[in-house]
Amino acid sequence: MTKPVFRFAPSPNGRLHLGHAYSALLNADFARKFGGRLLLRIEDIDLTRCRPDFEKAIYDDLAWLGLEWEKPVRRQSEHFDDYRAAAAKLKGRELLYPCFCSRRQIADAVTRKESETARPWPRDPDGAPFYPGTCKALEAGEAARRIAADEPHTWRIHMAAAQALAPEPLFFQRFDDAGHMETVEAHPSRWGDAVIVRKDVPTSYHLSVVVDDALQKVTHVVRGKDLEAATDLHVLLQALLGLPTPLYHHHDLVLDRTGDKLSKSLRSESLADLREQGWEASEVRRRLGFSPQPTPRT
Ligand code: GLU
């Protein structure tokens, strides 16, 4: 029987905090319980925000926590061709269309729609307004001309066309702490015509995560509840690209003292800060509900 494959997939755009430690330790714990493998993946597609020193700090912090992972580590910035190929597959089936709109233009179009209809415009689970469809109506020749002229553009999923090919209901399986499975229905349409290829890089979080989980033969995805809704879109992309759907577990987020979720951008206390304040890795592990010492793999 092939071993289950787990992965921890941080982005090196800041220092890791207790929430990341929890996610990494939980992946390691599941991998140990299920006799599986643990991979580390560096999700560094954002070339302006990701930095080598943050990446190095990820390795240091995880090693400090007592974690071990397989090498070599996959760094997404080295695999843009894989994501280009996946995007080309979707484009070939006319499931993506180019969008030249700026954020401002989208916001203005949404304001107009809201005043015309006197109703709130639909929003995706992250709170962003659905794309109002401006560029969907572009003539193919016009879009090709603007692309040839190097006009910055994203590629959005044509949600209606995608759903005609992979009709809802789409299902996936999630597992709980004890490993019990439950079938869940995915509702990708709640993302609207989401961006699948960004303006600045030939991919997006959604596309790379789906391509990599398949390439790395990940069987179990363990990540925070903040990414639970994104799974609906991932399941759709897997169906469209003919990729397997892993099993999912979305864990509760670690909250700070005021009950807010920890965030790298808000400079939540990092693991490095805690270490400097004299915390031992064993205390961090215990505080997060894990055994203070790493349990050797059998
Ligand atoms: N890179 C993502 C993050 O740091 C996690 C991706 C995932 O686990 O699917 O939030």
Side-chain angles (χ1 to χ4, degrees):
M1 211 180 76
T2 50
K3 287 182 169 189
V5 179
F6 292 78
R7 89 310 192 261
F8 175 57
S11 296
N13 55 10
R15 298 302 305 253
L16 298 188
H17 53 59
L18 283 175
H20 298 104
Y22 181 77
S23 210
L25 289 165
L26 189 62
N27 267 290
D29 229 40
F30 269 125
R32 191 180 44 77
K33 271 195 233 152
F34 293 2
R37 298 162 50 200
L38 178 63
L39 310 181
L40 171 64
R41 184 165 75 224
I42 298 294
E43 301 214 323
D44 57 350
I45 60 165
D46 192 325
L47 302 176
T48 49
R49 291 173 59 223
C50 292
R51 295 190 345 213
D53 54 323
F54 288 141
E55 182 179 332
K56 161 134 195 349
I58 288 174
Y59 304 132
D60 293 346
D61 288 343
L62 296 181
W64 178 67
L65 285 171
L67 289 168
E68 287 173 30
W69 57 91
E70 290 184 14
K71 315 230 171 29
V73 167
R74 184 172 170 94
R75 301 172 71 242
Q76 291 188 324
S77 59
E78 293 169 354
H79 298 281
F80 282 156
D81 280 348
D82 290 333
Y83 315 131
R84 272 192 200 98
K89 221 168 157 179
L90 297 172
K91 286 178 197 171
R93 295 167 76 195
E94 302 196 344
L95 293 170
L96 301 184
Y97 64 90
C99 168
F100 303 90
C101 294
S102 63
R103 272 174 213 266
R104 178 80 262 151
Q105 286 167 323
I106 296 175
D108 289 348
V110 166
T111 310
R112 271 198 308 278
K113 296 252 185 208
E114 287 189 326
S115 68
E116 273 161 31
T117 57
R119 288 224 195 101
W121 185 248
R123 291 186 175 256
D124 72 21
D126 285 346
F130 269 28
Y131 179 61
T134 324
C135 289
K136 204 158 37 178
L138 283 182
E139 297 272 327
E142 157 86 351
R145 188 190 55 71
R146 291 169 75 173
I147 292 172
D150 266 347
E151 197 176 322
H153 58 282
T154 62
W155 288 84
R156 292 181 175 275
I157 191 158
H158 196 314
M159 187 52 82
Q163 285 195 283
L165 282 179
E168 292 186 19
L170 274 173
F171 295 103
F172 66 97
Q173 304 262 309
R174 76 174 164 220
F175 58 102
D176 65 14
D177 292 326
H180 296 130
M181 298 293 172
E182 188 189 8
T183 301
V184 193
E185 191 174 337
H187 298 283
S189 50
R190 61 184 169 141
W191 287 95
D193 286 2
V195 171
I196 301 301
V197 177
R198 291 166 30 156
K199 273 191 183 144
D200 55 337
V201 286
T203 186
S204 61
Y205 157 63
H206 302 299
L207 185 63
S208 347
V209 90
V210 158
V211 168
D212 283 356
D213 283 341
L215 272 172
Q216 297 189 287
K217 300 197 168 26
V218 170
T219 56
H220 292 67
V221 171
V222 174
R223 60 187 177 194
K225 279 220 157 66
D226 51 344
L227 293 171
E228 190 161 24
T231 307
D232 291 5
L233 195 50
H234 299 175
V235 172
L236 174 66
L237 290 173
Q238 286 151 1
L240 296 172
L241 291 165
L243 303 174
T245 293
L247 309 172
Y248 287 92
H249 176 89
H250 294 99
H251 59 75
D252 286 338
L253 301 177
V254 178
L255 304 178
D256 67 13
R257 285 184 207 94
T258 58
D260 285 331
K261 92 174 209 208
L262 302 175
S263 145
K264 275 185 285 202
S265 49
L266 294 177
R267 297 186 169 274
S268 299
E269 250 172 21
S270 66
L271 295 176
D273 289 338
L274 296 176
R275 198 156 59 226
E276 263 168 40
Q277 290 163 27
W279 283 65
E280 295 289 339
S282 56
E283 289 174 80
V284 172
R285 296 175 63 101
R286 192 176 19 233
R287 180 168 155 193
L288 293 171
F290 298 94
S291 74
Q293 301 307 326
T295 321
R297 288 183 182 230
T298 45

